Amino acid sequence: MRTNFPHIRLRWHRVGSATAVTAALVLAGFGTAVHADATTSSKVTWAATPCATPKKTGELACNSLRVTGGTTAFQKARGITPKAANAATPSGYGPSDLQSAYGLTAAAAANGSGETIAIVDAYNDPNAEADLAKYRSYYGLPACTSASGCFKKVGQTGSTTSLPTSDAGWSEEISLDLDMVSAIAPKAKILLVEAKSATMANLGKAVNEAVTLGAKFVSNSYGGSESSSDTSYDSSYFNHPGVAITVSAGDDGYGAQYPAASKYVTSVGGTALSTSSNSRGWTESVWKTSSTEGTGSGCSSYDAKPSWQTDTGCTKRMISDVSAVADPATGVSVYDSYGVTAGWYTFGGTSASSPIIAAVYALAGTPGSSDYPAQYPYTHTSSLNDVTSGNNGSCSTSYFCTATSGYDGPTGWGTPNGVSAFTG
């Protein structure tokens, strides 16, 4: 197995037009990043969630960050003054915002019934169902409980009683994932599969279990460095025709991660999402905080290029395919209570993007039984919002790290504009 321990990084960010800069030491996943968002004129601070630092050698990292202060894009747009770190009230985008931004309001109201979206994460969140109920109740979404059969939580063997050790960091990740699925596809069923640890072997077994239990949509918000073992992981865990498997592209800026590099999955990049006076009402750019923080992208060193991917600069698998909001400064609202003050938090990272896209696939309908749904957006590129500004670092081949008209690494073909790009 690969090792994915983040190194110590000293991040420098300019705040607004000030000449001073703020340094934030990020050690073993703890620390604060500072971001000056053009829509807020006020710094937003955040820190990587604890699961972004693997517990042991060989474990993978979650791809989420939690806002710790400042005024988010959501608050600025609505004239809301409480600080983003105030857990008493939401400070990030909610379901109506996300549905509006991605042209999903009608589909979310009408579609998704009978579909099961699986969330695969590591360790146990003992408060998952209760926290999910808080989120859905607050936003007026239909209840989704284990008693009704809408929500189910199992371990990687499918047991509802033999669950992994509880973990506060991964519980934050689980809350984020469950809430994003709820925001986009409130009528769908949710299956939470908890791996006993964050190794690729255990997370992969959880993916297989999700498919065994009938999920046609499986979201994975974790990743790590590529390795020569990845092609064997592809065949063991991700080769599931007829199932839309989404994977977050990573939060470390330019560079390829696995399993986002798997040729069988939809790799999901991240954007900054802000309201706009344009006809859409929203605008997006590549999410980048610094050269070491932002959406992942890149050309895989190991995975073969799928037949439907036709960019010519990368002879192997190119990340990403599509994208959705990930910038913490334009982040999403989440309710979480395990290991933290119970309440509302704003999250970012490509951990938000992956479940959003999985839920869009669910709104679009069950994939064809022999299809690899990762190819769907490639045949419906005009049904996506093309993201054409921003970059996630430096690279020798421009589109690997820089947004452009049409396909690019950081945002793929773009973000959802309705469900048409996610059908066969």
Side-chain angles (χ1 to χ4, degrees), residues 40 48 67 170 187 189 227 252 282 293 297 304 334 387 389 393 423:
T40 65
V67 170
W170 279 95
K187 290 190 171 184
K189 296 180 179 180
S227 82
D252 297 327
W282 300 86
E293 185 178 274
S297 72
V334 172
V387 181
S389 64
T423 58

Side-chain angles (χ1 to χ4, degrees), residues 128-356:
E129 184 172 356
D131 288 352
L132 177 65
K134 290 279 189 180
Y135 180 90
R136 295 177 72 106
S137 175
Y138 179 89
Y139 286 111
L141 305 178
C144 186
T145 66
S146 55
S148 69
C150 175
F151 176 77
K152 187 175 184 178
K153 181 174 76 170
V154 300
Q156 69 186 52
T157 64
S159 172
T160 58
T161 55
S162 180
L163 299 172
T165 303
S166 296
D167 182 87
W170 279 95
S171 290
E172 293 183 28
E173 174 65 49
I174 289 169
S175 292
L176 167 60
D177 294 343
L178 296 178
D179 290 356
M180 289 308 95
V181 164
S182 298
I184 300 300
K187 290 190 171 184
K189 296 180 179 180
I190 302 176
L191 170 66
L192 171 60
V193 186
E194 299 177 329
K196 67 180 181 180
S197 76
T199 64
M200 188 67 262
N202 286 323
L203 288 162
K205 290 174 183 176
V207 171
N208 288 343
E209 185 61 30
V211 176
T212 296
L213 293 175
K216 297 299 182 183
F217 316 93
V218 184
S219 176
N220 305 269
S221 293
Y222 54 83
S225 303
E226 292 190 291
S227 82
S228 58
S229 300
D230 291 347
T231 54
S232 66
Y233 299 148
D234 279 353
S235 57
S236 296
Y237 307 128
F238 297 106
N239 186 4
H240 293 288
V243 180
I245 302 175
T246 63
V247 180
S248 56
D251 297 348
D252 297 327
Y254 175 67
Q257 285 194 3
Y258 190 86
S262 171
K263 64 182 180 180
Y264 297 120
V265 310
T266 300
S267 58
V268 186
T271 68
L273 172 70
S274 301
T275 55
S276 172
S277 59
N278 62 18
S279 59
R280 177 187 170 194
W282 300 86
T283 186
E284 288 176 278
S285 60
V286 175
W287 167 45
K288 176 188 176 184
T289 306
S290 71
S291 61
T292 57
E293 185 178 274
T295 184
S297 72
C299 182
S300 173
S301 298
Y302 301 99
D303 253 79
K305 200 173 198 68
S307 60
W308 55 85
Q309 197 172 57
T310 58
D311 63 294
T312 58
C314 171
T315 59
K316 293 189 180 295
R317 170 67 156 119
M318 187 70 194
I319 301 167
S320 297
D321 299 312
V322 292
S323 50
V325 62
D327 188 340
T330 68
V332 298
S333 182
V334 172
Y335 190 91
D336 186 55
S337 69
Y338 185 65
V340 295
T341 300
W344 294 97
Y345 296 92
T346 295
F347 279 86
T350 52
S351 280
S353 315
S354 178
I356 287 173

